[in-house]
Structures are given as structure tokens and as C-alpha cells.
């Protein structure tokens, strides 16, 4: 490969290096290797040709998305979410399982809980997105696997999640989540995720998508987690999301279970699809400057990150920042900003009149 080859791999590697520098990550080579492995056959795809695969990771089908998680002191951590793309004739799940085996071997991952629930989520001819991964770029990278509650069809999702929680010793969590997060017909299970490390803090995460939802839906959903302030959640939702409800993309709630002895979730996170609410990404950055400053944090890491990945002025498109999430509860509080590669497509900016604009 020449250094000017305009492939997805080249762009994603350039971006991860820039992001590693923005967050002060000392080992960009490891991050580059992991991005390259996650992209797999998609890596050699030229940027000038539309992708031949489908991926719900990003709006433009790029199968990888970066994010920066800030803790309450403002310390940033770089992460990525991605879906291995299959070779023609191969299945997405098969490709993902091969990559999982490689990573499990190299990083001594614990697959016990994944093995305990995999047949529930991966029946022959499974529907849905297949198998996704996230990687947290720490000195020792951390991995999570995402399974699809709709793998046996949407109607089966509640039973499937209930079954998986039972297998993992979390049976009492299901009615609690159902009561708080599945009160409306437009509320549906979206993802089921497992940390793949062996430690006592390895998490199970359950995600619910709230379609056509406003801040009051999040306010109710967060009450399943002890100690969460519903006003903080709804204020965040309104600040970032503007005049809800959204009609295109859902709000998403997640519940984390990190204490193996307890079926009480210890973290509630709210994911706001900010790209649906704003005219352009400059508006989003200005909103985030406000949110960060309110928490006593400086926006410079985020600004450097955006400069590092952007190939266009922020005001000329919308979706480089697709989601922003607030993490609340007794563990892992903070704010996460998601970052799209825009490898294949940029959604044009909308008019600032009539859109949520704090520019
Ligand atoms: N692109 C999908 C969506 O917008 C899935 C997804 C990717 C997502 N990253 C995310 C969902 C971050 C919530 C938060 O729904």
C-alpha cells in the first residue's frame, strides 16, 4: 500500500492516530492495529466508491465509529465501536467470531458469559445486526461484544433478554427495566452487551431504544438506577436534544450491571442522537462547550479531536458528532462524545433557522 492510497484503512488509521494524540494515549500503534483488524476486508475499500456492505454502525455505512469518554474530572478515554464486514460468501457473524477468537487469544479475554448466552442471540439464520465489538484503548485494551435482542425477531426480544439475564444471574433486573424503560409501545430492546474481561467489574449492559420520545421518557427510565438524579438526565436531554421529541432517531437508555452479586443496575446512560436536532456540527460543538463548561471541564480535547478527524468545516455538514451520552449512577459517570469517520458520505448542513442552534 502506498501512503497516499485513499482506502478506509488509511483514513481510519490517520483518524485514530489524531484522536490518540488528542486524548494523550501513549500507544497509537496498538490502536492502529486494532482498527485495522476490526475493519478487516473493509479496510482496503477505496473511499471514492460507495461501500458494498450494510452497517448500522454509522449513517454512511462505515463499519467503525470512534468516541471519547470523559470522566467527571475531564480525563478522556478513546474508544471505538465496530462491526466486522464479511467477505463475499461469508457471514458477518462468522467473520466477527474469527476476530473474537484472535483477540481472546492475544488479550486473554474471558468468553464465559458470551458462551453462556451466544446461542440465544445467534440462532441459525439470525435476524438483525449480528455481532459488534467495542474497544477501549487503555494500556491494556478492553473489549465488549454487542448482541442483538431482535435476533429472533422483534416480538421475541423481551423474552430473549429475560432469558439471557436469567442465565447470567440477573433475572430480577428484567421487570425493573420493563417497568421503567419499556412503558410505551415505541420502547424496544436495542442491544445486549458484555464486557470480555474476567475482573469483578465486568459488566452486562442492556440498551433500550425509545422512539418518538421526549425528555420525560428518559426521566422515567433513569429511575431504575439508585441515586440517579432525573433532573440532571432531563436537563442534559433538553440541552443537547433541543425541543424533543425526535421523530427519526430514538433516544437510547442503557443499564449497566457491574456487581456480579447484584441485579440492581449501577449505571444509567442516555444517548441523544444530537445530529437529528441540530443544523450542523458547529452547533453541536457549541452545545458541548456549554455542557463541558457547566461541569467545570475544558473543551480543548474535544476541539483537538475534531480538528484531527475533520475533512471539512464543521458548519458544512451534520453528523460528525452523531450521539452524545450522559453516564450517571455510582460507576463510570461522565460524558461521551461519538465521532463519525464520514469516510463515505457527509450529511449536508440544514438551515439554522428552525433548528436547535446555539451557535
Ligand atoms: N448507528 C446506530 C444508531 O445511530 C448505532 C449506534 C452507533 C449507536 N453508535 C451509537 C447508538 C452510539 C447509540 C449510541 O443508532
Amino acid at each position: 500500500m502506498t501512503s497516499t492510497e485513499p482506502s478506509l484503512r488509511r483514513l481510519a488509521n490517520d483518524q485514530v492516530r489524531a484522536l490518540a494524540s488528542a486524548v494523550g494515549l501513549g500507544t497509537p500503534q496498538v490502536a492502529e492495529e486494532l482498527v485495522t483488524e476490526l475493519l478487516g476486508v473493509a479496510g482496503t475499500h477505496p473511499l471514492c466508491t460507495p461501500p458494498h456492505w450494510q452497517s448500522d454502525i454509522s449513517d454512511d455505512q462505515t463499519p467503525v465509529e470512534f468516541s471519547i469518554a470523559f470522566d467527571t474530572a475531564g480525563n478522556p478515554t478513546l474508544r471505538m465501536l465496530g462491526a466486522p464486514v464479511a467477505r463475499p460468501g461469508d457471514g458477518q457473524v462468522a467473520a466477527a467470531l474469527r476476530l473474537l477468537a484472535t483477540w481472546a487469544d492475544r488479550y486473554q479475554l474471558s468468553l464465559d458469559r458470551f458462551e453462556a448466552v451466544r446461542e440465544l442471540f445467534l440462532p441459525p439464520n439470525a435476524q438483525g445486526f449480528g455481532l459488534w465489538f467495542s474497544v477501549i484503548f487503555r494500556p491494556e485494551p478492553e473489549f465488549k461484544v454487542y448482541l442483538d435482542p431482535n435476533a429472533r425477531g422483534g416480538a421475541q426480544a423481551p423474552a430473549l433478554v429475560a432469558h439471557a439475564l436469567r442465565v447470567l444471574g440477573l433475572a430480577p433486573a428484567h421487570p425493573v427495566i420493563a417497568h421503567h424503560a419499556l412503558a410505551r409501545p415505541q420502547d424496544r430492546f436495542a442491544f445486549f452487551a458484555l464486557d470480555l474481561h474476567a475482573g469483578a467489574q465486568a459488566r452486562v449492559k442492556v440498551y433500550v431504544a425509545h422512539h418518538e420520545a421526549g425528555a420525560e421518557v428518559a426521566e422515567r427510565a433513569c429511575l431504575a438506577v439508585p441515586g440517579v438524579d432525573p433532573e440532571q438526565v432531563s436537563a442534559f436531554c433538553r440541552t443537547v436534544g433541543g425541543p424533543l421529541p425526535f421523530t427519526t432517531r430514538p433516544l437510547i437508555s442503557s443499564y449497566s450491571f457491574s456487581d456480579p452479586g447484584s441485579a440492581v443496575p449501577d449505571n444509567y446512560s442516555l444517548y441523544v442522537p444530537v445530529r437529528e436536532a441540530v443544523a450542523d456540527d458547529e452547533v453541536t460543538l457549541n452545545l458541548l462547550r456549554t455542557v463541558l463548561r457547566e461541569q467545570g471541564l475544558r473543551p480543548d480535547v474535544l476541539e483537538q479531536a475534531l480538528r484531527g478527524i475533520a475533512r471539512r468545516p464543521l458548519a458544512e455538514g451534520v453528523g460528525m458528532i452523531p450521539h452524545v451520552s450522559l453516564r450517571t449512577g455510582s460507576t463510570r459517570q461522565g460524558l461521551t462524545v461519538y465521532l463519525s469517520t464520514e469516510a463515505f458520505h457527509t450529511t449536508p448542513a440544514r438551515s439554522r433557522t428552525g433548528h436547535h442552534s446555539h451557535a
Side-chain angles (χ1 to χ4, degrees):
M1 199 202 321
T2 69
S3 62
T4 52
E5 183 195 349
S7 65
L8 178 55
R9 179 191 321 177
R10 165 114 198 130
L11 176 70
N13 275 301
D14 287 350
Q15 290 184 335
V16 87
R17 226 178 300 114
L19 294 171
S21 157
V23 304
L25 180 73
T27 51
Q29 305 82 349
V30 175
E32 286 187 57
E33 180 183 23
L34 289 166
V35 173
T36 300
E37 288 177 316
L38 184 55
L39 287 174
V41 296
T44 54
H45 197 82
L47 298 179
C48 53
T49 318
H52 53 74
W53 60 82
Q54 294 220 309
S55 177
D56 195 32
I57 298 285
S58 313
D59 292 350
D60 73 348
Q61 316 298 320
T62 305
V64 57
E65 177 189 77
F66 300 111
S67 57
I68 298 182
F70 296 93
D71 67 16
T72 48
N75 301 310
T77 306
L78 179 62
R79 322 176 316 165
M80 70 174 168
L81 172 73
V85 168
R87 287 201 162 67
D90 197 6
Q92 195 277 332
V93 172
L97 288 172
R98 271 198 305 279
L99 180 57
L100 179 58
T102 305
W103 283 347
D105 196 40
R106 186 187 313 150
Y107 293 105
Q108 248 102 79
L109 304 183
S110 164
L111 300 183
D112 295 356
R113 292 180 308 165
F114 173 67
E115 296 297 348
V117 300
R118 68 181 275 180
E119 50 154 340
L120 292 172
F121 291 98
L122 301 172
N125 305 317
Q127 304 172 35
F129 64 76
L131 206 55
W132 290 357
F133 300 112
S134 69
V135 183
I136 308 183
F137 299 114
R138 297 193 200 278
E140 185 67 10
E142 289 172 24
F143 298 82
K144 205 154 70 216
V145 64
Y146 292 75
L147 295 154
D148 193 338
N150 303 293
R152 293 171 186 268
Q156 291 300 314
L160 182 51
V161 170
H163 192 161
L165 288 170
R166 207 154 58 234
V167 168
L168 297 169
L170 297 169
H174 189 268
V176 177
I177 293 174
H179 175 73
H180 290 92
L182 295 166
R184 306 146 67 241
Q186 305 97 313
D187 300 327
R188 289 169 226 142
F189 285 114
F191 309 104
F192 191 93
L194 298 168
D195 275 348
L196 296 176
H197 55 89
Q201 291 294 302
R203 293 165 301 164
V204 175
K205 282 185 84 172
V206 178
Y207 298 72
V208 176
H210 310 286
H211 296 267
E212 292 142 49
E216 66 294 340
V217 173
E219 220 168 78
R220 173 181 176 127
C222 76
L223 294 176
V225 179
V228 173
D229 173 6
E231 288 189 4
Q232 185 197 4
V233 170
S234 57
F236 173 80
C237 193
R238 292 198 175 95
T239 304
V240 177
L244 299 159
F246 292 127
T247 48
T248 36
R249 287 274 165 187
L251 279 174
I252 298 179
S253 291
S254 79
Y255 299 95
S256 298
F257 302 86
S258 359
D259 178 352
S262 166
V264 179
D266 51 24
N267 178 285
Y268 173 80
S269 297
L270 178 69
Y271 308 79
V272 179
V274 62
R275 67 194 182 289
E276 296 298 326
V278 298
D280 59 69
D281 289 311
E282 192 174 85
V283 174
T284 307
L285 176 58
N286 283 330
L287 287 170
L288 290 173
R289 286 191 177 110
T290 306
V291 172
L292 287 167
R293 280 207 204 95
E294 274 169 12
Q295 301 183 14
L297 306 178
R298 288 168 41 173
D300 42 351
V301 170
L302 180 60
E303 289 164 354
Q304 189 186 335
L306 286 164
R307 271 197 305 278
I309 63 163
R311 294 185 294 156
R312 55 153 175 100
L314 290 184
E316 285 182 11
V318 61
M320 199 181 305
I321 305 173
H323 281 96
V324 181
S325 76
L326 177 73
R327 312 190 309 275
T328 65
S330 58
T331 58
R332 299 195 183 225
Q333 300 100 328
L335 184 83
T336 304
V337 181
Y338 294 82
L339 301 168
S340 297
T341 64
E342 294 198 338
F344 298 110
H345 180 72
T346 296
T347 304
R350 308 175 186 115
S351 144
R352 286 196 181 175
T353 350
H355 278 96
H356 185 36
S357 83
H358 292 229

